[in-house]
Amino acid sequence: MWGLSRQISSIRCSKHESSWEHKQNSAAAQWGAILSRRRGDPRHTARLAVSRAGVLEAKRWMLNLNRREAAAGHYRPDIDGLRAISVLPVVFYHYGVPGFSGGFVGVDIFFVISGYLITELIYAEMRDGRFSIVHFYERRIRRIFPALFAVLFVVTAVALVLLFPRDLRQYAKSLWATAVFGSNFGFWRQAGYFDTAADLKPLLHTWSLAVEEQFYLVWPALLFGLVYFSHRVSRRRTLIVISAVLVLSLTESVREMRSVPTAAFYLLPSRMWELMCGAVLAVANAPRMASPLLRNMLAIAGLALIAWAVWAYNPDTAFPGLTALPPCLGAALLIYTGKDGGTAPARILSTRVLVWIGLISYSLYLWHWPLYVFARYYFAQPLNPVISAALMLLSVLLAWLSYRLVEQPFRERKAFFSGRRLFAMAGAAMAAVTVAGIAVVSARGLPQRYPADVRRLLAAANEHEPLRAKCFNRTLADVRADRLCRIGDANARADFLLWGDSHAEALLPAVEAAAIARHRAGLFASRSACPPLLGVERADVMNGNCRAFNDQVARLIARDHVREVIVASRWAKHALGTDYGDDTEPTAFLVDDQSESRSVAEDKAVFVRSLSRTIAFLTHAGVEVIVIGPVPEVKTDVPEALARAKLYRTREDARPTIAEFRSRQQFVLDALAHLPQEYGATVLYPHRMLCASGRCAIAKDGRALYYDSNHLSVFGAEQLTARFESVL
């Protein structure tokens, strides 16, 4: 369309023809060339160039083109350029390109564009009395389904070969959810401490497609209902409805950011306002500003807002909520000021390169993320810049092929891909993918693909404490109501407490086995990502209520005269602010009432203060304190690393050396070393057994000792039972 529009201009504006008849023949010749290229018949050019029929056909073609543009809104190359501006930051953000830490806002820009274009289309057709819900969904299917299901087919084939059972099962769940455009609900419900990491989910990016499809279900029905009950299309009433939806949705987004931030991110009610930003522009039809200077200033401001969000935001930015306003407002300003052209940003967005990227943006969005995930999965480590650059180029190539060979044929061959046939094909594709996903889930990720020894190693990925679902992540209300789980001997009185985060939960099998052997019982108090330290919160755990939870546990200890307290945690992450082997900026900082900043140095100071505060409180309460030192961390998922090494016969050794362990844990070890002298606490060091050979063991007797990169499996925890028996 962009190339054709430029040729239209050259025909209309030619200054080298001396007569109207000559212009007609020249136009016929040029349009003949254009039409012949579309029809694939070079002989058609000559016939059209010398016949009056060619002139008439060119006129008819131009008339039909004008009618189509009038129906769907005049083609705006700047919007295709804005699509490029929305997709490129997302790609660069995912591949770790410096300067694009907030590139995820590209999705929000796309929502504004989608809200504008869809509302403009629906409103125009309703106003003219020619809106058809069937034709609307036919266009949406032709636009969304072909490329999406082509990608799903290829990605599923790769997943069946590459993904291990646990990850394939998770993939299959997201596959059938994607097929019915409900993946945003799936990813929202899956989001949690023990869930698969985001960069191991090949279809994570489809959440935004699900939001858009749900918008397609809700918005036309709402507009149609407004017209039906008011008996006419009223711009004023429509704007009132759009504004009301925008305000309500934004309010809900802000509310959910305080209570359930994952819902605010993934679900339509808290994202609808972004689409309504575009809808307002479509219905308001605000007149063009007379002042070119003011138009340019607003357009530049819009571009600056987007650039600022892309550069200044990062994964720890509270998002969406009010922080989504700058990129959405920026997109809205660019759409408004670029409507009639004439601004510098509109000219930039209309350049051929950006327009071309905008045309393939949908396919580029679909392809880039699975490529990244599979590469991360295969290499089992962060991607280096060379591989990242190669994958981005491959994403562009696949996007172009997908656009040319999949998207365009479905759009252009409307006679074949239309009506009942199109709906039947869409339904069949959805059904086939859904059945395939459910089948893989039912088969538990197809572990039979692997030999028995590999399956035994992989089984550790699901080997965790059976009481996790019942006892882990208890709430503040549970502690207040004495609803903590009992562990150990069922006939003994509970007189000790195991307190900590998920590392305490991972050690639970050893503690319980030791308690049973000693005929003792205790209570278990644990929350994910909450260290057993008084007076602190984790800055990256929004609304985790760690401080309130731990304060209530302390009251329980003092009230019930607990005899012993065992504290266990992933100490290094809390003290240093980052995962082991993570090359990103540390963000898991602890904060207390004395915190002055967020930095590694301040985090270490808070850790030492809170550790001393907690042990001092327990000692003064007459409690015997047992501190479990750090469990060695591994840079990769242990069951999969072991299976990969055995399956592909690689020499990869994932075991950390004792030097690597100490390099990571030295600050923690130094902090714990003072506790016996200062407070009389007992400190147990798991690494003294696990790392006795000079390397920290990750497997024994053909079984993995970890179920991921840092949590001991049940089998791994059981290796420490004798150590706990010695102190209970």
Side-chain angles (χ1 to χ4, degrees):
M1 173 65 82
W2 176 229
L4 292 180
S5 65
R6 289 183 63 84
Q7 294 187 56
I8 292 172
S9 300
S10 68
I11 292 171
R12 290 176 175 173
C13 300
S14 175
K15 297 181 180 180
H16 302 290
E17 306 297 340
S18 57
S19 66
W20 183 84
E21 187 69 28
H22 197 118
K23 290 179 182 179
Q24 281 189 316
N25 292 335
S26 177
Q30 294 185 57
W31 280 109
I34 295 170
L35 294 174
S36 67
R37 286 198 296 271
R38 294 174 63 88
R39 296 178 181 183
D41 182 4
R43 293 173 298 178
H44 195 64
T45 304
R47 288 200 298 269
L48 283 176
V50 297
S51 68
R52 190 172 184 83
V55 177
L56 295 176
E57 183 169 353
K59 288 181 178 179
R60 284 196 300 270
W61 197 91
M62 292 172 65
L63 180 60
N64 290 333
L65 174 65
N66 290 334
R67 286 173 177 171
R68 288 196 300 272
E69 288 187 339
H74 291 292
Y75 173 68
R76 288 181 53 181
D78 64 302
I79 289 185
D80 268 333
L82 188 57
R83 284 194 178 103
I85 295 298
S86 73
V87 74
L88 288 177
V90 174
V91 175
F92 294 155
Y93 163 69
H94 285 151
Y95 281 92
V97 177
F100 291 86
S101 60
F104 52 83
V105 303
V107 174
D108 306 84
I109 298 169
F110 180 79
F111 283 155
V112 176
I113 297 172
S114 186
Y116 171 75
L117 294 176
I118 293 301
T119 305
E120 184 181 51
L121 173 68
I122 296 174
Y123 184 75
E125 291 185 348
M126 285 185 175
R127 186 181 55 204
D128 297 341
R130 52 189 175 85
F131 176 73
S132 166
I133 193 68
V134 173
H135 291 159
F136 173 77
Y137 286 123
E138 184 178 319
R139 289 192 295 264
R140 291 300 90 204
I141 290 172
R142 188 178 289 110
R143 175 74 176 93
I144 300 295
F145 276 51
L148 173 62
F149 282 91
V151 169
L152 291 181
F153 176 80
V154 174
V155 171
T156 301
V158 176
L160 287 169
V161 175
L162 189 61
L163 300 186
F164 287 118
R166 178 182 61 176
D167 300 313
L168 182 61
R169 192 164 182 258
Q170 290 296 323
Y171 169 79
K173 290 180 181 179
S174 65
L175 177 65
W176 71 261
T178 300
V180 297
F181 296 99
S183 64
N184 59 329
F185 287 101
F187 292 125
W188 164 55
R189 293 178 66 87
Q190 288 175 9
Y193 191 75
F194 293 105
D195 186 33
T196 303
D199 58 4
L200 295 180
K201 296 178 180 178
L203 299 180
L204 181 64
H205 62 322
T206 63
W207 72 268
S208 61
L209 301 183
V211 168
E212 188 178 358
E213 287 296 321
Q214 291 154 22
F215 168 70
Y216 295 155
L217 292 175
V218 172
W219 190 231
L222 186 58
L223 288 180
F224 185 80
L226 179 66
V227 173
Y228 179 82
F229 287 107
S230 62
H231 305 293
R232 63 189 180 90
V233 180
S234 168
R235 188 184 304 275
R236 179 173 174 273
R237 290 183 181 179
T238 305
L239 281 173
I240 290 174
V241 170
I242 292 173
S243 301
V245 173
L246 191 156
V247 171
L248 290 173
S249 174
L250 180 57
T251 302
E252 177 65 9
S253 182
V254 173
R255 185 193 70 81
E256 289 182 354
M257 284 300 297
R258 295 171 182 161
S259 54
V260 279
T262 52
F265 187 88
Y266 283 117
L267 303 185
L268 177 63
S270 53
R271 291 284 191 170
M272 188 79 170
W273 69 270
E274 300 178 18
L275 293 138
M276 293 299 97
C277 287
V280 168
L281 294 174
V283 175
N285 196 25
R288 182 186 187 190
M289 286 177 291
S291 169
L293 177 61
L294 182 57
R295 284 202 313 275
N296 270 282
M297 290 178 62
L298 288 178
I300 292 171
L303 203 56
L305 285 171
I306 292 173
W308 176 78
V310 168
W311 175 79
Y313 290 1
N314 61 62
D316 294 313
T317 301
F319 198 86
L322 293 176
T323 49
L325 274 172
C328 291
L329 179 59
L333 285 173
L334 287 172
I335 292 172
Y336 169 55
T337 57
K339 186 174 182 180
D340 298 307
T343 67
R347 288 191 292 272
I348 293 172
L349 294 175
S350 299
T351 56
R352 287 177 178 268
V353 173
L354 288 181
V355 169
W356 182 77
I357 294 174
L359 291 173
I360 66 168
S361 59
Y362 175 54
S363 286
L364 179 57
Y365 181 76
L366 290 176
W367 281 110
H368 86 280
W369 179 248
L371 289 178
Y372 171 82
V373 170
F374 287 143
R376 278 294 308 266
Y377 198 89
Y378 178 78
F379 292 110
Q381 61 184 356
L383 304 180
N384 63 48
V386 174
I387 294 176
S388 294
L391 289 173
M392 285 189 282
L393 290 175
L394 180 58
S395 299
V396 173
L397 175 61
L398 290 174
W400 178 74
L401 291 173
S402 181
Y403 175 72
R404 290 295 304 272
L405 303 179
V406 179
E407 290 190 61
Q408 282 190 317
F410 272 84
R411 293 186 202 176
E412 293 178 356
R413 298 182 62 184
K414 295 182 179 180
F416 183 80
F417 299 115
S418 64
R420 293 181 179 178
R421 179 181 293 149
L422 183 65
F423 282 101
M425 292 173 65
M430 293 174 67
V433 172
T434 301
V435 170
I438 293 174
V440 173
V441 172
S442 301
R444 305 189 64 80
L446 301 172
Q448 59 270 29
R449 293 175 293 157
Y450 303 105
D453 54 350
V454 175
R455 292 202 302 270
R456 190 181 186 195
L457 290 169
L458 291 171
N462 299 313
E463 188 183 319
H464 50 74
E465 168 54 48
L467 293 176
R468 175 194 289 177
K470 177 183 177 184
C471 300
F472 182 61
N473 250 347
R474 285 299 176 92
T475 65
L476 177 62
D478 290 329
V479 184
R480 286 174 176 165
D482 294 328
R483 289 196 293 264
L484 295 178
C485 282
R486 279 177 55 94
I487 57 177
D489 192 329
N491 298 317
R493 186 182 75 85
D495 63 355
F496 75 87
L497 177 76
L498 175 60
W499 180 21
D501 56 16
S502 60
H503 275 225
E505 184 270 338
L507 292 169
L508 184 54
V511 176
E512 183 160 45
I516 292 173
R518 294 294 186 182
H519 304 289
R520 296 189 60 187
L523 299 174
F524 175 55
S526 180
R527 278 186 70 81
S528 65
C530 287
L533 301 173
L534 296 176
V536 300
E537 288 280 12
R538 264 267 297 270
D540 63 323
V541 181
M542 296 189 59
N543 304 307
N545 296 318
C546 291
R547 183 168 183 168
F549 176 84
N550 288 330
D551 287 347
Q552 190 61 39
V553 171
R555 294 188 189 98
L556 180 149
I557 292 169
R559 184 196 69 195
D560 291 357
H561 306 292
V562 173
R563 190 170 121 197
E564 289 168 314
V565 173
I566 303 171
V567 291
S569 182
R570 191 179 181 184
W571 301 117
K573 180 166 185 176
H574 302 308
L576 304 177
T578 186
D579 287 322
Y580 182 48
D582 188 355
D583 57 358
T584 61
E585 289 294 321
T587 57
F589 293 137
L590 300 177
V591 293
D592 64 7
D593 293 338
Q594 301 175 53
S595 297
E596 298 180 355
S597 62
R598 292 186 184 180
S599 64
V600 174
E602 179 67 16
D603 189 46
K604 289 180 177 180
V606 176
F607 177 79
V608 171
R609 285 198 301 265
S610 59
L611 181 63
S612 298
R613 182 188 306 124
T614 304
I615 305 304
F617 165 81
L618 294 174
T619 302
H620 294 155
V623 173
E624 183 178 343
V625 181
I626 302 168
V627 180
I628 310 303
V631 170
E633 298 170 292
V634 189
K635 290 184 178 180
T636 187
D637 185 281
V638 170
E640 292 177 359
L642 293 170
R644 191 178 292 111
K646 183 171 286 292
L647 191 64
Y648 303 122
R649 303 186 184 280
T650 65
R651 296 183 179 180
E652 175 188 0
D653 191 347
R655 296 177 301 164
T657 65
I658 190 66
E660 290 172 332
F661 168 79
R662 289 192 178 280
S663 176
R664 165 71 168 172
Q665 304 286 351
Q666 194 59 57
F667 176 79
V668 171
L669 295 174
D670 291 342
L672 298 183
H674 297 290
L675 300 182
Q677 291 80 14
E678 291 185 28
Y679 303 103
T682 300
V683 182
L684 295 182
Y685 294 101
H687 77 277
R688 290 179 178 172
M689 187 196 76
L690 294 173
C691 308
S693 67
R695 278 187 177 270
C696 301
I698 59 175
K700 182 181 180 180
D701 300 330
R703 297 179 63 181
L705 297 177
Y706 293 74
Y707 67 73
D708 57 12
S709 65
N710 59 91
H711 295 90
L712 292 175
S713 63
V714 173
F715 177 68
E718 288 172 348
Q719 309 309 304
L720 303 176
T721 300
R723 295 295 178 96
F724 285 102
E725 287 184 19
S726 67
V727 296
L728 281 179

